[in-house]
Amino acid sequence: MLVSMKNMAGNQAGEIELSDAIFAASINKPLMHQALVRQLANARLGTHKTKGRSEVRGGGRKPWRQKGTGRARQGSTRSPNWVGGGTVFGPTPRKYTKDMPRKMRRAAIRSALSVKAASDQIVVVDNLAMDVPKTKDMIQTLENLGLSTQSALIVLAEKDETVQRSTNNLCNAKTILANYLNIRDLLGFDTILITKDAVDHIENWLAPQASAIRDEV
């Protein structure tokens, strides 16, 4: 797949060949959904907790005698039908983690990248560098690339604190390293802005042949 490559000023800077095995792979929507559900589930802390009737304070004595008052029989003021009583079948701490084979996770990422590429939602820049961290400069760069009205996921090959700090205050943009690429961010942003070096890193990481070799070792 041959796509145009731009510079930070938004001008044409040549063309780049994207691997069809990664950016034009078969799209598997159920697999992408499974990977997204797994990532969202694994992000849950599972620390929710409510108290049952045996854990709330009070209610040690019977509020009134069993018969003769005309009222319904009650054994404790902390039963679930009382204000301040315990919760029935409330949430308790648990783990939400889900397992998914590595090959399936990588195939889901390839599907997501292919969806973005098919929709012309991938923009490749030759280089993304700034002298000082400045949000205004990042806004101008996104405008030059035609991404001012869209949310953008900026994928870098290596950590660049200047670029990351220039993006931190933008609500519609986020920076991420290529080796931390994940299904949630790919599907959560309108456009993927990738540097040329990050493209090489992604292709080396997600190439089906390379993945199979690493798994065998």
Side-chain angles (χ1 to χ4, degrees):
M1 178 187 297
L2 192 64
V3 298
S4 61
M5 183 170 55
K6 300 181 179 181
N7 55 24
M8 293 180 60
N11 301 324
Q12 188 80 11
E15 294 181 333
I16 184 173
E17 182 73 24
L18 299 180
S19 173
D20 290 341
I22 298 174
F23 294 92
S26 59
I27 299 174
N28 191 332
K29 292 183 179 180
L31 185 62
M32 288 191 293
H33 176 265
Q34 182 180 349
L36 178 61
V37 170
R38 170 192 171 271
Q39 184 174 349
L40 294 176
N42 291 353
R44 299 184 64 175
L45 295 178
T47 55
H48 40 48
K49 176 69 171 69
T50 58
K51 291 183 178 181
R53 64 178 298 169
S54 63
E55 298 171 310
V56 292
R57 185 177 180 181
R61 62 184 294 270
K62 190 175 177 65
W64 51 76
R65 65 179 187 269
Q66 183 80 350
K67 294 178 177 294
T69 63
R71 290 177 289 185
R73 52 193 173 189
Q74 299 290 336
S76 172
T77 57
R78 291 300 175 258
S79 61
N81 58 313
W82 281 69
V83 175
T87 302
V88 182
F89 303 129
T92 55
R94 53 164 292 196
K95 292 184 178 180
Y96 288 91
T97 55
K98 298 179 180 293
D99 293 330
M100 189 174 183
R102 185 192 314 173
K103 290 183 179 180
M104 294 178 64
R105 299 198 304 266
R106 291 178 178 176
I109 295 177
R110 286 195 292 267
S111 293
L113 289 172
S114 299
V115 170
K116 293 296 184 182
S119 304
D120 294 328
Q121 295 177 331
I122 291 183
V123 178
V124 182
V125 292
D126 57 352
N127 187 32
L128 193 60
M130 297 180 178
D131 297 331
V132 293
K134 200 168 185 180
T135 305
K136 184 178 180 180
D137 293 342
M138 179 56 71
I139 294 176
Q140 184 61 50
T141 300
L142 295 177
E143 289 180 355
N144 295 338
L145 296 172
L147 304 178
S148 59
T149 60
Q150 306 176 27
S151 60
L153 178 66
I154 304 173
V155 184
L156 305 175
E158 298 178 352
K159 185 177 181 179
D160 190 331
E161 187 175 352
T162 304
V163 175
Q164 292 174 343
R165 290 177 61 186
S166 300
T167 313
N168 285 343
N169 287 336
L170 298 179
C171 61
N172 62 337
K174 175 184 177 180
T175 58
I176 189 174
L177 298 182
N179 56 346
Y180 286 100
L181 205 60
N182 59 86
I183 191 72
R184 178 181 180 181
D185 287 332
L186 286 176
L187 299 179
F189 288 85
D190 298 330
T191 307
I192 312 300
L193 178 61
I194 311 178
T195 63
K196 180 181 178 182
D197 295 338
V199 170
D200 296 335
H201 184 90
I202 291 173
E203 291 183 349
N204 293 332
W205 170 43
L206 293 178
Q209 296 83 0
S211 300
I213 294 175
R214 280 194 293 267
D215 292 339
E216 291 176 359
V217 174

